[in-house]
Amino acid sequence: MPHRKDEKTRDITELIVKAGEKARRETRAIPEPELTRPIEWPVSCTVGPGLEGAIACETKIGYVNGSKGWLIYRGYDIFELCAYSTFEEVSYLLLHGNLPTKKQLAEYNKKLVDSRNLNNTMRLFMNYPVEGMNAMSALRLGTNLMRHELTYIDREEYKPNLDGVIGSDEDSIPMETKPMGEKDAIYGFKRIKMNRPFKGVNPELHPAAGAESCNHLVSGVATIAAAVARLKLGQLPIEPDPELSHAANFLYMMTGCRPSPVEERIMDVALILHADHGMNASTFASMVVASTLSDMYFSVGAGIAALNGPLHGGANEQVLYMLEEIGNPGNVKKWVKKSVKEKKKIMGFGHRVYKSYDPRARVLAPLAEYLVKKDSSNHNLLETATTLEKEILDTIGTKKKIFPNVDFYSGIVYACMGILPENFTTIFAVSRVAGWTSRILEYLENNRIFRPRAMYTGSFEKEFKPLEKRR
Ligand code: CMC
């Protein structure tokens, strides 16, 4: 069962505790924003472009205090969760509302262990050209295949019976292009009968919107992300080891090597840090999909798609490329001057909600430093990053309240662990799937389809011209 292996990673705990103390010292006096009370609908709020300031729902799951730079999951401070808990405990906390007892954790862990093995999904997955795909696109495909395998919706027995439509000499299925030699193959569905009437479902399968599919996704997205990393290198996926924790398994399935306690711990902390973060774009995207009463797998797919963008989770990969482009600390000043002049967005800086230092960056920065002290091969990368941070804060940062965000140091941490940048954003998804699924479950309790409006600024009463008269 996952537990804190404090003996071998005590210095990591100490770094996190210190970072937490510093954060509290520096931010305690900053006033609270007024975003912590029940809503009486309809609610009045001032909304900016990109729905800035809009209140979409109530939640008990997590709170981002952007003025102070505090992050809370279900009432617990992020620094304490990083210092003393595991991803298993934190994902349970997000999904269930309380930290698990030993017994609850053991039961939950068993579900995660069972769900980690996705042999059938993996068999399907390997029929696709994953090696040439963008990692997030492959992850989204894999999530779709999980849906196919784990829910009753697409099961063989509920699929149309194609006998009688395709001749025995034809191994093709009905398609828009008429198969050779098959007279009645196109649009033949009207003649198809169901294999079995759609009555009742196999209880071992899932209603695709329920709590079990959350466990499957929290566990299985990691298996797929690890397989994506391997397939992209031309290596075969590795089966999980039931004795390893979620973080250790993820690293093991990705690299083929059982991680050291330090590597396991750092990945665990990274997963805890990224697990939930208010109504961010990917969480909102997944909730919008869920609010239509689509299912958990489709919703998580939407979350993955939104997370991929460089303004959101995709920034962690871009930070690495940016630091490589800068090259060394000596180039930072000139690079920043040019970027500011060209009004370029500096990857890994700024946040819609945090107008102070992102607490996740407060944890990741000392972890990056710790890893570089152990192995100096990424020394230049880290020096370039810290010099860039100082330069941004000295120039535009403090004035515009643009501080390093979670993506600024996470990539350096992953790079120090030998992970390729193309896989950075999938790690974010491996963690955030806990937040997506928790918030969807919570929202579905009082579901109302998301349906904002746009202000129409187009014209009216235009005269319709037939095609031939248009210029
Ligand atoms: N570099 C340079 N200027 C910036 C940056 C940045 N990274 N971020 C914000 N600004 C400036 C922006 O130009 C604007 O200046 P002005 O008022 O003079 O026009 C001001 O700060 C306010 O910024 P904004 O664009 O209105 O902020 P936003 O809330 O719309 O965008 C953001 C937030 C995260 C998309 C943006 O800060 C950004 O593009 N950052 C870089 C990408 C990044 O690191 N994303 C990861 C976000 S954290 C993890 C996650 O949630 O995925």
Side-chain angles (χ1 to χ4, degrees):
M1 198 167 67
H3 62 285
R4 263 293 53 91
K5 295 182 182 71
D6 267 329
E7 285 318 305
K8 291 187 180 132
T9 59
R10 184 172 293 150
D11 32 5
I12 294 175
T13 308
E14 280 166 12
L15 285 177
I16 298 167
V17 169
K18 249 197 221 158
E21 285 167 357
K22 183 166 184 280
R24 277 185 284 274
R25 230 183 7 255
E26 289 178 0
T27 61
R28 193 172 282 128
I30 298 171
E32 285 276 343
E34 289 187 9
L35 283 165
T36 54
R37 59 185 145 69
I39 299 170
E40 277 193 35
W41 298 103
V43 67
S44 297
C45 50
T46 305
V47 178
L51 292 183
E52 180 176 8
I55 307 288
C57 58
E58 280 182 19
T59 182
K60 290 186 168 55
I61 291 175
Y63 174 49
V64 182
N65 182 331
S67 329
K68 286 177 183 288
W70 290 3
L71 174 58
I72 285 151
Y73 297 169
R74 298 272 191 193
Y76 296 96
D77 178 52
I78 192 67
F79 292 103
E80 281 205 43
L81 292 171
C82 285
Y84 304 117
S85 75
T86 60
F87 178 73
E88 285 85 338
E89 287 173 80
V90 166
S91 54
Y92 183 98
L93 171 72
L94 292 170
L95 282 165
H96 297 268
N98 53 280
L99 281 168
T101 61
K102 264 192 181 166
K103 184 166 174 266
Q104 287 168 332
L105 184 59
E107 284 165 6
Y108 177 62
N109 191 48
K110 184 172 179 322
K111 288 181 187 173
L112 297 185
V113 169
D114 291 346
S115 307
R116 207 166 276 139
N117 233 321
L118 296 175
N119 293 343
N120 290 341
T121 305
M122 218 47 88
R123 238 170 257 133
L124 286 172
F125 195 46
M126 287 170 66
N127 289 321
Y128 291 84
V130 173
E131 63 284 355
M133 290 171 80
N134 161 289
M136 289 292 274
S137 162
L139 186 67
R140 188 156 175 251
L141 166 68
T143 314
N144 230 352
L145 297 176
M146 277 178 79
R147 175 181 180 277
H148 177 72
E149 275 308 305
L150 298 173
T151 82
Y152 59 77
I153 292 174
D154 300 329
R155 302 302 294 184
E156 262 328 300
E157 56 267 41
Y158 303 115
K159 275 191 185 156
N161 181 353
L162 302 176
D163 294 349
V165 176
I166 301 291
S168 57
D169 60 338
E170 192 59 71
D171 64 358
S172 164
I173 55 164
M175 55 181 80
E176 286 174 345
T177 310
K178 190 171 182 171
M180 291 285 290
E182 183 54 59
K183 210 160 82 354
D184 198 19
I186 322 171
Y187 310 128
F189 284 105
K190 60 182 184 299
R191 295 208 281 115
I192 296 169
K193 290 203 184 77
M194 301 304 272
N195 266 344
R196 231 204 267 164
F198 198 94
K199 251 198 272 158
V201 291
N202 177 348
E204 283 172 14
L205 301 172
H206 306 291
E212 285 311 311
S213 44
C214 298
N215 298 332
H216 272 112
L217 283 157
V218 167
S219 185
V221 166
T223 304
I224 297 191
V228 170
R230 291 187 69 77
L231 288 167
K232 282 177 75 62
L233 291 174
Q235 299 163 338
L236 287 172
I238 289 180
E239 282 197 3
D241 177 345
E243 298 305 315
L244 296 182
S245 70
H246 190 68
N249 247 310
F250 179 44
L251 283 167
Y252 167 58
M253 291 188 291
M254 186 160 29
T255 63
C257 305
R258 283 180 172 71
S260 69
V262 166
E263 289 165 334
E264 174 184 4
R265 179 76 203 276
I266 288 185
M267 178 52 74
D268 203 22
V269 171
L271 295 181
I272 293 171
L273 278 178
H274 288 82
D276 184 65
H277 207 246
M279 295 295 282
N280 59 83
S282 60
T283 300
F284 188 48
S286 64
M287 288 171 70
V288 169
V289 172
S291 82
T292 69
L293 299 186
S294 184
D295 67 43
M296 205 56 90
Y297 297 86
F298 276 130
S299 306
V300 164
I304 292 170
L307 187 67
N308 178 55
L311 296 188
H312 193 8
N316 56 11
E317 183 181 352
Q318 298 307 319
V319 166
L320 243 272
Y321 302 143
M322 175 185 76
L323 293 174
E324 281 166 7
E325 183 196 313
I326 297 172
N328 64 61
N331 295 338
V332 163
K333 254 189 195 312
K334 202 167 140 212
W335 187 91
V336 169
K337 203 168 168 195
K338 186 166 177 282
S339 300
V340 171
K341 194 169 160 216
E342 290 170 2
K343 294 193 183 312
K344 266 198 195 156
K345 282 273 168 78
I346 293 143
M347 290 292 124
F349 282 85
H351 199 274
R352 172 64 62 78
V353 178
Y354 289 124
K355 298 303 167 201
S356 56
Y357 210 101
D358 185 330
R360 303 166 299 176
R362 285 185 187 270
V363 172
L364 289 167
L367 293 187
E369 218 173 288
Y370 174 83
L371 286 170
V372 167
K373 262 192 208 146
K374 278 185 167 293
D375 171 359
S376 61
S377 38
N378 283 301
H379 181 261
N380 181 58
L381 193 69
L382 180 64
E383 281 289 296
T384 308
T386 49
T387 313
L388 178 63
E389 174 181 337
K390 188 171 177 317
E391 186 62 19
I392 295 290
L393 295 186
D394 288 350
T395 52
I396 53 171
T398 314
K399 200 165 50 194
K400 290 196 182 186
K401 300 199 171 165
I402 304 165
F403 299 92
N405 59 48
V406 67
D407 293 322
F408 191 59
Y409 286 104
S410 63
I412 302 173
V413 167
Y414 302 146
C416 289
M417 292 168 80
I419 299 169
L420 296 177
E422 63 185 9
N423 300 313
F424 290 176
T425 314
T426 61
I427 303 176
F428 200 149
V430 164
S431 165
R432 186 57 60 83
V433 65
W436 295 330
T437 49
S438 304
R439 288 191 182 248
I440 290 169
L441 279 187
E442 182 187 60
Y443 190 75
L444 287 178
E445 281 173 23
N446 293 299
N447 184 53
R448 188 153 195 243
I449 190 167
F450 281 108
R451 192 9 178 132
R453 295 200 65 174
M455 194 64 83
Y456 179 67
T457 57
S459 44
F460 290 92
E461 298 185 6
K462 276 192 168 172
E463 186 194 344
F464 181 83
K465 282 196 183 125
L467 184 59
E468 55 279 9
K469 291 199 174 165
R470 284 177 222 156
R471 295 225 214 141

